[in-house]
Amino acid sequence: MRRELGISTGDTVLVDVDDGELRVRSVPRAIERARTILRKYVPEGVGLADELIADRRREAERE
């Protein structure tokens, strides 16, 4: 099962229960899934971190 999931001994995994089923995912696979979900809402080339930093700088200038 570990080989199929790309999980090696000592790797950190995410474990959760979803609709009565136990799910085990590797961290890289979970990150890739999250990125795929976010790409539906954030256009390619847009950096959310850059936008957050710009927002914080604008707020700081107003203070």
Side-chain angles (χ1 to χ4, degrees):
M1 285 187 273
R2 283 192 328 220
R3 272 191 296 269
E4 186 174 329
L5 294 173
I7 299 170
S8 299
T9 302
D11 284 355
T12 300
V13 297
L14 301 174
V15 179
D16 59 80
V17 176
D18 183 21
D19 196 26
E21 296 179 359
L22 182 65
R23 293 182 175 225
V24 180
R25 293 177 284 160
S26 67
V27 172
R29 195 167 286 187
I31 291 171
E32 185 57 38
R33 182 169 186 258
R35 285 181 177 153
T36 300
I37 292 168
L38 282 173
R39 280 293 154 220
K40 293 178 186 176
Y41 306 102
V42 180
E44 191 68 38
V46 172
L48 292 180
D50 294 334
E51 287 189 11
L52 177 61
I53 291 168
D55 284 347
R56 296 295 160 91
R57 285 184 178 148
R58 284 191 294 274
E59 289 175 14
E61 289 172 3
R62 284 184 280 205
E63 292 179 358

